[in-house]
Amino acid sequence: MVAIPPGPGDQYNLNHASELITISAMVFLGICIVVHCCYIVFVDLPAQRIVLTSTNVHLFLMAISLIGLHASLYCIISAEYLSARYFNSATGQVICTTMFEIFAIRYSWDRSGSVVKRLLPKTAKFLQVLVVWIPLLGFLEIVPSISLSALHDRDINPTISNVLFLLSNVIPVVFALLSLVFDAALLTAFCTYTRGIHQTLENSRDQLFEMIARYGIASIVFYAGSIGFYGLGQAFRQSNFFIFLAVSYFMLIFSYISLLLMKLGNVLTYRSSGSKGSMKGATA
């Protein structure tokens, strides 16, 4: 999903309230990072668990990407339209949004891959391919935006400019579609699991998988909502672009919070079940 700021014809809210929203979002994300650090200090370290796991690293990188995303939006609000700062900030939005999506996909697979392999083994093989190719496509998504930003005030061949502009619009669509396919497959596995647990005895339920499935569903719903509100912003660019964009970005924050709660929920799951499976999951 590429966040392109509105043009001069848009009724863009360049006021203190808009800046306050972005600052509040960054402060809240900073608090989330502190909470995650406290979990590591008071839960992981006393239990002598490995701290630099892929899930911890991806969670931190997701939060940092979202902070960068809102910082870029703050710069756009205060920047002169079509200035160098405006283009650089817009490129920052593209980079941060793409990075968040890549880290979220990696985190989701690290935490949920076992659920998919268990319930949908054939689908799991397909998703393993997507986990590799989606990040590569994400890096390709960034290149045209960086190029357009670097060349915005220079005389370049119109053909090159048109190609870069085309790529900056086509690659994000493909990236978003693959991301939605990935999320749809995970959502199918999660829903399959949550339906199945109601047909089993209480003592045979895996509470860790159940917790992962529920927070996974929430994260996917918020992410899909983010894409939906961004699409509405594009459809109503001339009136409410900033409102839809702000809601879209807050949906990404809610998606991140769901994934963070998936991590923090480990300790409660482990304490309530005490099972080996939950203990293993709690170390992730």
Side-chain angles (χ1 to χ4, degrees):
M1 180 175 60
V2 180
I4 308 256
D10 302 323
Q11 297 178 5
Y12 199 49
N13 251 339
L14 300 177
N15 52 33
H16 179 67
S18 302
E19 295 176 349
L20 185 61
I21 291 174
T22 58
I23 294 175
S24 299
M26 288 187 283
V27 171
F28 177 76
L29 288 165
I31 294 174
C32 290
I33 292 177
V34 172
V35 171
H36 188 189
C37 290
C38 290
Y39 177 93
I40 292 175
V41 172
F42 296 108
V43 178
D44 284 343
L45 289 180
Q48 296 182 342
R49 296 170 186 152
I50 299 174
V51 174
L52 291 178
T53 61
S54 61
T55 54
N56 279 335
V57 171
H58 289 143
L59 273 175
F60 279 121
L61 291 176
M62 275 188 277
I64 292 172
S65 298
L66 288 176
I67 290 175
L69 178 63
H70 285 86
S72 298
L73 182 58
Y74 178 87
C75 291
I76 288 175
I77 292 174
S78 58
E80 182 181 353
Y81 182 67
L82 295 183
S83 64
R85 182 184 179 186
Y86 181 91
F87 276 99
N88 292 337
S89 300
T91 301
Q93 280 188 301
V94 175
I95 294 174
C96 292
T97 306
T98 303
M99 291 297 98
F100 171 81
E101 292 170 341
I102 291 174
F103 298 140
I105 287 173
R106 291 295 309 179
Y107 176 86
S108 297
W109 180 250
D110 288 343
R111 295 306 313 277
S112 314
S114 57
V115 178
V116 182
K117 292 176 182 177
R118 177 176 171 178
L119 300 175
L120 304 170
K122 293 183 179 180
T123 302
K125 294 180 180 179
F126 173 67
L127 290 182
Q128 284 179 310
V129 175
L130 289 183
V131 168
V132 174
W133 284 102
I134 287 178
L136 295 178
L137 187 62
F139 289 119
L140 289 178
E141 177 184 7
I142 293 172
V143 173
S145 298
I146 294 177
S147 301
L148 288 172
S149 177
L151 301 174
H152 79 277
D153 58 349
R154 301 181 184 180
D155 293 329
I156 60 174
N157 189 307
T159 301
I160 296 177
S161 178
N162 291 335
V163 169
L164 289 174
F165 184 77
L166 178 64
L167 291 175
S168 68
N169 286 276
V170 172
I171 296 179
V173 172
V174 177
F175 181 82
L177 288 176
L178 289 178
S179 298
L180 288 175
V181 169
F182 179 88
D183 287 340
L186 280 185
L187 185 62
T188 300
F190 292 148
C191 291
T192 300
Y193 183 80
T194 53
R195 283 200 307 267
I197 62 176
H198 296 297
Q199 301 173 2
T200 63
L201 296 176
E202 181 69 24
N203 58 7
S204 67
R205 292 168 56 178
D206 189 320
Q207 294 186 20
L208 176 63
F209 282 161
E210 184 178 347
M211 181 271 297
I212 289 176
R214 288 178 176 174
Y215 285 122
I217 290 173
S219 175
I220 291 171
V221 169
F222 284 129
Y223 176 72
S226 174
I227 294 179
F229 276 102
Y230 179 80
L232 289 174
Q234 293 293 340
F236 299 98
R237 287 183 63 85
Q238 299 302 318
S239 56
N240 298 312
F241 179 87
F242 177 75
I243 295 176
F244 286 117
L245 185 63
V247 174
S248 175
Y249 285 178
F250 272 100
M251 285 287 188
L252 288 182
I253 293 178
F254 294 146
S255 179
Y256 159 74
I257 292 174
S258 299
L259 296 177
L260 178 61
L261 290 175
M262 184 190 293
K263 164 70 179 180
L264 302 183
N266 277 338
V267 65
L268 297 178
T269 302
Y270 169 61
R271 288 177 178 175
S272 63
S273 67
S275 68
K276 292 182 180 180
S278 294
M279 183 183 295
K280 181 179 179 181
T283 65

